[in-house]
């Protein structure tokens, strides 16, 4: 995924334990996007939650993947996700 549809792109560093990424409101506007990617295989999952503490995606342990979240209707929602070859 190139991130061409993403307003912000964050790459998760090497992990030493499970990670939860909390997407906050902080000035987000309707239609804003965030791309979170893990391009190297790690031994821990990455859980992505919205401002309401609902899980919108999980990048499982051992995966090289991305999650694109979109701000809509007052909170972040899952837009798209996939795995890197």
């Amino acid at each position: 995924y190139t991130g061409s549809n993403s307003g912000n792109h964050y790459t998760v560093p090497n992990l030493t334990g499970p990670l939860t990424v909390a997407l906050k409101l902080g000035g987000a506007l309707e239609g804003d996007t965030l791309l979170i990617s893990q391009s190297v295989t790690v031994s821990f999952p990455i859980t992505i939650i919205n401002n309401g503490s609902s899980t919108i995606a999980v990048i499982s342990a051992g995966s090289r993947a991305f999650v694109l979240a979109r701000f809509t209707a007052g909170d972040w929602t899952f837009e798209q996700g996939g795995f890197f070859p």
Side-chain angles (χ1 to χ4, degrees):
Y1 190 80
T2 64
S4 61
N5 295 324
S6 178
N8 294 292
H9 180 192
Y10 299 95
T11 301
V12 178
N14 290 334
L15 301 177
T16 58
L19 175 68
T20 298
V21 177
L23 305 179
K24 300 298 182 183
L25 302 181
L29 301 173
E30 189 76 16
D32 282 356
T33 58
L34 286 168
L35 178 68
I36 299 164
S37 65
Q38 176 61 49
S39 60
V40 297
T41 302
V42 294
S43 300
F44 304 100
I46 302 165
T47 302
I48 298 143
I49 63 173
N50 65 13
N51 192 61
S53 298
S54 296
T55 298
I56 62 170
V58 175
I59 298 175
S60 50
S63 297
R64 297 174 53 234
F66 72 91
V67 171
L68 180 64
R70 181 172 301 278
F71 188 78
T72 182
D75 211 341
W76 294 97
T77 59
F78 176 82
E79 176 77 12
Q80 185 177 0
F83 296 95
F84 297 115

